[in-house]
Amino acid sequence: EAEVAQSPRYKITEKSQAVAFWCDPISGHATLYWYRQILGQGPELLVQFQDESVVDDSQLPKDRFSAERLKGVDSTLKIQPAELGDSAMYLCASSPSGQAYEQYFGPGTRLTVT
Amino acid sequence: KQEVTQIPAALSVPEGENLVLNCSFTDSAIYNLQWFRQDPGKGLTSLLLIQSSQREQTSGRLNASLDKSSGRSTLYIAASQPGDSATYLCAVRTGGGNKLTFGTGTQLKVEL
């Protein structure tokens, strides 16, 4: 069964350093999402791509976060510089285009900023 | 702004018991609702997806219902097992962008 792949699974970094996460969606899924989940809370959408275009980045802290999906397939989320409050689980999900479809989630990247 | 609430926040039951998890949302103009399971430190596993035109969906021991007009959904788990122990999250899809809004989850523990 096809799965969403994410790497790394765990990342520890010092504050003010740069960090990057990678996501490979299920083949053929045009829509890709990055969510952030703080411990004890539900995931919150950071950015949504339709193919290579950003369709929603209203909750992305653009002063330090950036995301790209250059060829409309895999995606990278970057934080520079990292802050203590960025410690969270970063989840990637994908789905076919359209509202009727399920979103499928990857295993996530657990980020700890020290 | 859509808000999703899940009650209870935590639940502990003995093995074999049937149980109900609740989810409520403030904006009834949803496209669908999805229930997820999350094990500690892991990603989300989709359990059931209910379209706005549907009343319920079933998968094995799980049954999810949707009352869109009242802004409520329930997840019924029959004959609970220790392996069902996890956090259960509901999420609703609203707006033109396919965005999911999540609740904070119900942490379930099924004891032997």
Side-chain angles (χ1 to χ4, degrees):
Chain A
E1 184 175 312
E3 296 180 342
V4 176
Q6 288 187 249
S7 67
R9 294 293 308 278
Y10 305 92
K11 180 70 177 179
I12 300 173
T13 191
E14 294 182 348
K15 64 179 181 180
S16 80
Q17 296 299 303
V19 63
F21 314 129
W22 177 80
C23 172
D24 190 13
I26 292 173
S27 178
H29 283 190
T31 311
L32 184 147
Y33 315 80
W34 283 101
Y35 290 86
R36 177 171 61 184
Q37 185 179 25
I38 296 170
L39 191 63
Q41 298 183 18
E44 292 186 320
L45 181 70
L46 291 174
V47 61
Q48 177 183 340
F49 289 92
Q50 180 66 32
D51 299 310
E52 67 276 8
S53 300
V54 172
V55 296
D56 186 348
D57 63 356
S58 57
Q59 300 302 309
L60 188 71
K62 297 181 187 65
D63 57 335
R64 298 184 300 108
F65 286 63
S66 64
E68 61 182 17
R69 192 184 185 198
L70 293 176
K71 296 183 179 180
V73 181
D74 59 337
S75 175
T76 302
L77 178 69
K78 297 179 181 177
I79 308 175
Q80 183 173 16
E83 296 181 352
L84 295 177
D86 296 332
S87 295
M89 175 77 88
Y90 290 82
L91 295 161
C92 179
S94 70
S95 73
S97 298
Q99 291 102 357
Y101 296 100
E102 292 179 67
Q103 291 187 20
Y104 296 88
F105 282 75
T109 296
R110 169 70 68 187
L111 173 66
T112 301
V113 182
T114 63
Chain B
K1 177 184 175 184
Q2 179 74 270
E3 293 184 1
V4 181
T5 303
Q6 291 188 245
I7 295 174
L11 180 64
S12 182
V13 300
E15 182 180 11
E17 189 162 302
N18 302 325
L19 59 101
V20 174
L21 307 180
N22 296 292
C23 172
S24 61
F25 45 94
T26 55
D27 183 354
S28 62
I30 66 170
Y31 292 107
N32 50 46
L33 182 146
Q34 203 167 347
W35 281 95
F36 294 89
R37 168 186 173 138
Q38 187 173 34
D39 293 289
K42 306 292 185 182
L44 277 63
T45 300
S46 180
L47 298 174
L48 290 163
L49 172 70
I50 310 177
Q51 303 296 345
S52 61
S53 58
Q54 296 175 318
R55 297 286 293 184
E56 64 180 87
Q57 281 285 342
T58 298
S59 176
R61 295 183 293 109
L62 304 179
N63 176 275
S65 68
L66 175 63
D67 184 342
K68 193 176 118 172
S69 61
S70 67
R72 294 179 184 176
S73 176
T74 62
L75 179 67
Y76 174 84
I77 303 177
S80 59
Q81 303 171 357
D84 294 332
S85 298
T87 296
Y88 291 80
L89 294 154
C90 75
V92 295
R93 180 173 287 106
T94 52
N98 208 24
K99 174 183 176 178
L100 279 178
T101 302
F102 283 83
T104 54
T106 294
Q107 188 174 3
L108 172 66
K109 184 176 181 181
V110 181
E111 300 175 317
L112 290 170

